[in-house]
Amino acid sequence: MKFVNFNNLNCCYLSRRLNQLSSHDPLWKRHCKKYWLISEEEKSQRNQSWKAIFISTYSDLGRYIRYYATLKKAWDDLEKYLGQRCPRMIGSLKESVREEDLDAVEAQIGCKLPDDYRCSFRIHNGQKLVVPGLMGSMALSNHYRSEDLLDIDTAAGGFQQRLGLKQCLPLTFCIHTGLSQYMALESVEGRNKYEIFYQCPDQMARNPSAIDMFITGTSYLEWFTSYVNKVVTGGYPIIRDQIFRYVHDKECVATTGDITVSVSTSFLPELSSVHPPHYFFTYRIRIEMSKDALPEKACQLDSRYWRITNAKGDVEEVQGPGVVGEFPIISPGRVYEYTSCTTFSTTSGYMEGYYTFHCLYYKDKFFNVTIPRFHMVCPTFKVSTARMVKSFMHPLEYKIICLNMLWSASALANCSIVVLPQSLLL
């Protein structure tokens, strides 16, 4: 009987034996737990049989039976984790939407939403536009990003039909940078259906609809659950009650004497471009002295040395005093962390080097501490199809596209005057 699935049980009227099996409530218990994650406690609260619970839930969520358990577990794990580490983020989550709400959005945008996306919004309707954002943050001295998971109405309001982002739905939004991750609802302009990406305008193309893409997911299910897994397993650190999307390679650790240096990295799509090739990375370094070290081991960082190598093998060496303008003192049990950044003209590269310290008790004693080699690789990207046909575009067509985009931008900004570039007036 354990091999009977819910489809067999729904066909109980075709066979007397299946009809008998369908009345065996423990069979429905297994399916309720497998597909709907119904617990014993929830069953007792609902005061129904397992069969009745399965049928009522299936009548509401049946189209999502392939996705519901996976997405519900991801949401439950995320809420539990955030409740313990950054509870204020829980308050920004919105309640689920109804089927008719999702149907109305499909009618509004003229495209079908994928079932895994719809299923997720039957559990939580994204979040409010607040800081910090559920989908991760990043901060540098003069730059801050925090992405909210958009609710269904806000996402529908940002649905794109313009060239370069045709039939793309925003999933996230950063109120500081305007950055969004989009999901392609159709296979157009070189994108795969339901592919998720950051847009990256081609700064070298004459065609303003030429938008390259940094790919972040192949489906909503894969995109969301892989992100949640990194969060709840500690793959992304929680810093100041926010999820920071730094990736730590466990091999990026080096110990010299009593001092350990470890490195985490992150790619910043909003500061990067494919054309021209400019790939921006940030790295976070943790310097820690063992708590078991002797007090006389206390020391101060004097300088840093970096050896930076890009994917072509080109090497740049950098030396300078301190780190980010500071000269931290490290003593037993103390941790010092800082963030910095670098850029490459290639899609990947690596850095390694050392810090020079002097002892506080023996001021004439200097020593080097190894910084482990750490690699930085930009995500997979796609080049805009518009770039490949730009040479065939008539100059008048190009001007019309530019003018349309200028008028659209002015409307969004509530401007009454548009200043046209001289090149469009010729």
Side-chain angles (χ1 to χ4, degrees):
M1 289 196 299
K2 67 180 181 179
F3 298 108
V4 178
N5 65 31
F6 72 94
N7 289 313
N8 300 133
L9 295 175
N10 283 328
C11 297
C12 62
Y13 297 107
L14 300 179
S15 162
R16 179 183 299 176
R17 180 56 180 155
L18 278 178
N19 190 35
Q20 294 171 345
L21 287 174
S22 73
S23 301
H24 189 63
D25 212 42
L27 280 180
W28 296 96
K29 172 183 176 179
R30 180 166 63 88
H31 292 307
C32 283
K33 290 189 172 186
K34 177 180 178 181
Y35 295 108
W36 312 127
L37 304 187
I38 304 293
S39 64
E40 297 278 357
E41 181 182 1
E42 186 176 351
K43 177 187 181 297
S44 63
Q45 291 173 350
R46 294 173 66 164
N47 196 28
Q48 293 177 294
S49 68
W50 287 110
K51 179 178 180 180
I53 291 173
F54 183 92
I55 292 174
S56 64
T57 308
Y58 186 85
S59 65
D60 182 32
L61 298 168
R63 70 180 289 177
Y64 309 122
I65 198 163
R66 291 173 51 202
Y67 307 111
Y68 184 84
T70 302
L71 286 165
K72 184 66 165 65
K73 183 179 185 305
W75 274 111
D76 288 349
D77 290 347
L78 186 60
E79 288 186 76
K80 180 179 179 181
Y81 184 85
L82 295 179
Q84 297 170 349
R85 290 165 177 82
C86 36
R88 68 180 179 138
M89 199 179 290
I90 297 294
S92 71
L93 300 182
K94 291 189 170 185
E95 295 296 324
S96 62
V97 296
R98 303 168 301 169
E99 280 295 289
E100 47 265 42
D101 298 324
L102 295 167
D103 293 340
V105 166
E106 288 186 338
Q108 175 186 339
I109 66 177
C111 281
K112 290 292 184 182
L113 300 170
D115 277 351
D116 52 356
Y117 177 82
R118 290 178 60 115
C119 179
S120 182
F121 282 72
R122 291 300 312 276
I123 301 168
H124 272 299
N125 182 23
Q127 67 172 144
K128 304 170 187 174
L129 286 176
V130 297
V131 174
L134 182 68
M135 302 309 292
S137 301
M138 187 56 58
L140 296 172
S141 59
N142 58 352
H143 180 79
Y144 178 74
R145 179 189 86 217
S146 190
E147 290 182 65
D148 292 307
L149 181 65
L150 294 178
D151 64 60
I152 190 65
D153 290 328
T154 306
F159 179 70
Q160 298 291 316
Q161 285 285 24
R162 67 182 177 92
L163 292 176
L165 285 175
K166 195 173 179 63
Q167 295 178 315
C168 290
L169 184 77
L171 300 182
T172 69
F173 181 71
C174 171
I175 60 177
H176 294 86
T177 65
L179 181 74
S180 287
Q181 293 185 66
Y182 286 90
M183 177 168 60
L185 296 187
E186 297 293 342
S187 299
V188 295
E189 298 180 325
R191 291 181 289 271
N192 295 327
K193 195 173 185 179
Y194 304 144
E195 198 166 49
I196 299 168
F197 63 93
Y198 285 110
Q199 63 163 325
C200 178
D202 185 335
Q203 300 175 29
M204 298 176 68
R206 291 185 60 201
N207 184 351
S209 68
I211 295 177
D212 301 322
M213 298 156 280
F214 291 112
I215 309 301
T216 57
T218 57
S219 69
Y220 183 88
L221 181 74
E222 179 263 334
W223 174 79
F224 183 73
T225 57
S226 61
Y227 172 77
V228 170
N229 182 63
K230 286 180 182 176
V231 173
V232 301
T233 58
Y236 290 147
I238 303 295
I239 305 171
R240 299 186 297 276
D241 292 329
Q242 300 181 62
I243 303 167
F244 274 74
R245 282 162 52 179
Y246 283 106
V247 177
H248 174 61
D249 182 346
K250 293 181 180 179
E251 294 184 1
C252 286
V253 179
T255 300
T256 305
D258 295 303
I259 299 177
T260 298
V261 178
S262 58
V263 188
S264 302
T265 63
S266 184
F267 174 73
L268 273 65
E270 68 272 30
L271 300 179
S272 301
S273 67
V274 178
H275 298 102
H278 179 84
Y279 305 98
F280 194 104
F281 297 89
T282 179
Y283 53 89
R284 184 174 179 83
I285 294 189
R286 177 186 175 96
I287 306 172
E288 180 178 11
M289 180 174 281
S290 170
K291 63 181 180 180
D292 298 323
L294 298 174
E296 55 264 32
K297 294 286 188 177
C299 55
Q300 185 171 21
L301 191 152
D302 291 324
S303 63
R304 69 193 185 279
Y305 165 79
W306 287 113
R307 182 180 172 87
I308 307 168
T309 308
N310 68 16
K312 296 178 181 178
D314 300 329
V315 177
E316 178 185 5
E317 294 183 278
V318 177
Q319 275 186 301
V323 289
V324 292
E326 297 183 354
F327 300 85
I329 292 175
I330 307 296
S331 55
R334 185 181 173 189
V335 174
Y336 176 79
E337 293 180 295
Y338 75 95
T339 298
S340 191
C341 56
T342 190
T343 60
F344 290 98
S345 60
T346 56
T347 56
S348 64
Y350 62 86
M351 295 174 62
E352 58 194 331
Y354 60 81
Y355 300 117
T356 298
F357 284 83
H358 75 265
C359 295
L360 295 181
Y361 283 81
Y362 310 99
K363 297 197 179 206
D364 58 346
K365 182 178 179 182
F366 294 83
F367 62 97
N368 294 334
V369 171
T370 299
I371 306 171
R373 177 182 293 188
F374 55 97
H375 293 263
M376 290 159 281
V377 182
C378 89
T380 300
F381 63 81
K382 286 185 175 181
V383 175
S384 169
T385 54
R387 181 178 180 83
M388 294 181 278
V389 299
K390 68 172 185 175
S391 59
F392 300 101
M393 182 178 293
H394 191 278
L396 180 59
E397 182 183 357
Y398 167 72
K399 291 182 179 181
I400 291 172
I401 291 173
C402 290
L403 288 170
N404 284 336
M405 293 188 71
L406 283 168
W407 286 117
S408 298
S410 67
L412 288 172
N414 293 320
C415 295
S416 58
I417 299 175
V418 178
V419 179
L420 299 179
Q422 186 68 26
S423 62
L424 297 183
L425 300 175
L426 300 177

